Amino acid sequence: MSFPNMMANFLKQGFQHLSKGNMKNPPKILLGFMIIPVRNISYLEVSKNMSLLSTEKKTTTIKDLRLEEPQEKPLVVMLAWLMARKKHTEKYADIWLQKGFDVLCVNVNPWQFLWPVKGTQMVAAQILKFLDENKSYSPTILYGFSVGGYLWGEVMVQMAHDMDRYQHILDRMVGQVWDSAADVTEIHKGVPPAVFPRNKVMAAALQKYILYHMKTFDKVATTHYVRSSQMFHTNMARAPALFLLSKTDPIGTESSNQRVRENWESMGMKVEWKVFEKSPHVGHYRKYPKEYVAEIHGFLKSINLNKQMEKEADKMEVKQ
């Protein structure tokens, strides 16, 4: 195995380790998840990286990312964290399903993240095409985790090439929620200590590899990370935003999120801000479930969607 492939595999294992929570008492965390009720969820596979979640069984078929029967419902585009497990993303999706939304859940793996031209950019193209082809999904909310901000940046890079065609996607967006948003240009600082909190040698090795990868593969990786980061900071989606973060998150740091917040507010965007006292990366909902959900419901109310979604949820209950 070549050195780049060996180290890429090492990084993949690191992300797998990180995705398991890397906490002192994981059983309690999992129990915290289990007490949160999740209703029956219907899955429609859109592509290898995208699934459409709903409380209603989808009888329609999908061809070339287009649903044959238009779905006149609100939609959440959920950009999941690396190595996200289905049973965990369902918990987050259920927050929105209970409000009458359908949820388009998007996952990328470490290989796709490391090699964006043949990885994340192809997934970004699928997201863009799905939203373009299924115009009846409205209103739309973005719900991104960790490197989901980077993935949305890749979507905007492609969108910028033909704004006449894609402006309707931005027009349908009424809100965006960012949980543990991570700036990919700084992952070498935050990821290693989070992956190996008790092993400084392994953390240092992982940091060296990330820096090596970003330097060696500048044209096929780092250049795209930087461009996406720039697009995220100058977000084309000007809908109101809610940031959910933690003082103790070494990856989606408060300082990096604050820079994004300042940029967005300077453009006239409305930004709501919630900093949890002590929760891990992408772990705020697990540690503070009631407070987390209350923040999202309050955000929906602030953008005048809460009552509308409650009506949709009531209709859904009647149908069932």
Side-chain angles (χ1 to χ4, degrees):
M1 182 182 292
S2 65
F3 176 71
N5 287 337
M6 178 179 68
M7 294 307 294
N9 186 55
F10 172 60
L11 182 56
K12 178 179 179 180
Q13 291 175 353
F15 276 121
Q16 288 175 328
H17 180 60
L18 178 61
S19 71
K20 293 177 182 177
N22 205 8
M23 299 170 227
K24 293 181 180 179
N25 301 304
K28 293 182 181 179
I29 296 299
L30 291 177
L31 284 173
F33 252 136
M34 291 167 64
I35 63 173
I36 302 169
V38 176
R39 60 181 64 202
N40 291 330
I41 297 177
S42 171
Y43 274 82
L44 178 63
E45 185 175 344
V46 177
S47 71
K48 290 183 178 180
N49 294 93
M50 300 195 302
S51 297
L52 187 62
L53 283 62
S54 180
T55 56
E56 302 172 340
K57 181 71 175 179
K58 298 296 183 186
T59 57
T60 184
T61 56
I62 187 164
K63 184 177 181 181
D64 199 21
L65 300 181
R66 183 174 187 174
L67 295 167
E68 291 191 353
E69 295 179 15
Q71 306 293 304
E72 295 181 358
K73 293 188 65 177
L75 178 72
V76 167
V77 180
M78 188 167 79
L79 309 174
W81 60 98
L82 286 173
M83 308 302 298
R85 296 182 180 182
K86 181 179 177 181
K87 64 180 181 180
H88 291 163
T89 55
E90 282 183 353
K91 307 296 180 179
Y92 289 93
D94 192 58
I95 297 172
W96 304 93
L97 295 174
Q98 291 185 37
K99 286 291 185 180
F101 287 86
D102 278 357
V103 177
L104 180 69
C105 184
V106 186
N107 289 275
V108 295
N109 60 47
W111 184 92
Q112 291 171 316
F113 174 72
L114 290 171
W115 308 106
V117 175
K118 294 185 178 180
T120 47
Q121 289 181 8
M122 296 182 71
V123 179
Q126 293 176 0
I127 297 170
L128 189 57
K129 185 171 183 179
F130 180 90
L131 294 174
D132 185 38
E133 293 286 352
N134 299 282
K135 297 179 176 63
S136 62
Y137 265 131
S138 181
T140 304
I141 287 181
L142 284 174
Y143 187 32
F145 298 83
S146 189
V147 296
Y150 154 69
L151 182 57
W152 177 242
E154 291 284 18
V155 173
M156 288 189 290
V157 169
Q158 297 182 31
M159 190 184 296
H161 292 305
D162 193 350
M163 284 306 301
D164 288 341
R165 175 179 178 181
Y166 298 123
Q167 182 61 47
H168 70 93
I169 295 175
L170 298 177
D171 292 341
R172 282 153 47 201
M173 289 185 177
V174 295
Q176 45 192 320
V177 179
W178 296 102
D179 181 321
S180 307
D183 191 331
V184 293
T185 61
E186 297 184 1
I187 60 170
H188 64 286
K189 297 178 182 178
V191 170
V195 174
F196 299 111
R198 301 177 185 86
N199 192 326
K200 293 183 179 180
V201 174
M202 293 296 285
L206 180 55
Q207 183 181 50
K208 287 181 180 179
Y209 173 69
I210 294 175
L211 289 170
Y212 162 83
H213 185 88
M214 295 178 74
K215 182 178 180 180
T216 305
F217 303 106
D218 178 73
K219 292 184 178 179
V220 296
T222 308
T223 297
H224 302 288
Y225 299 154
V226 173
R227 178 58 177 153
S228 172
S229 178
Q230 292 170 341
M231 291 297 286
F232 189 69
H233 278 258
T234 57
N235 198 352
M236 293 160 59
R238 300 297 171 87
L242 168 64
F243 281 83
L244 300 164
L245 57 151
S246 168
K247 292 181 179 180
T248 57
D249 183 357
I251 303 175
T253 63
E254 188 174 357
S255 59
S256 65
N257 278 268
Q258 180 63 35
R259 288 193 293 272
V260 177
R261 176 189 184 181
E262 290 172 356
N263 285 336
W264 289 6
E265 288 182 333
S266 70
M267 297 185 294
M269 290 176 60
K270 180 183 177 182
V271 179
E272 295 185 24
W273 190 254
K274 175 60 181 178
V275 182
F276 293 98
E277 193 65 29
K278 190 177 181 181
S279 49
H281 187 61
V282 196
H284 320 314
Y285 183 26
R286 294 195 295 268
K287 189 154 187 176
Y288 307 101
K290 292 182 179 179
E291 194 173 352
Y292 186 97
V293 172
E295 287 292 331
I296 291 180
H297 288 178
F299 177 67
L300 288 176
K301 184 177 180 180
S302 73
I303 59 175
N304 299 316
L305 269 187
N306 210 11
K307 289 185 178 180
Q308 181 181 341
M309 293 305 99
E310 287 174 357
K311 290 180 181 179
E312 291 292 335
D314 289 342
K315 290 179 183 179
M316 179 177 62
E317 292 289 350
V318 171
K319 288 181 180 179
Q320 293 177 343

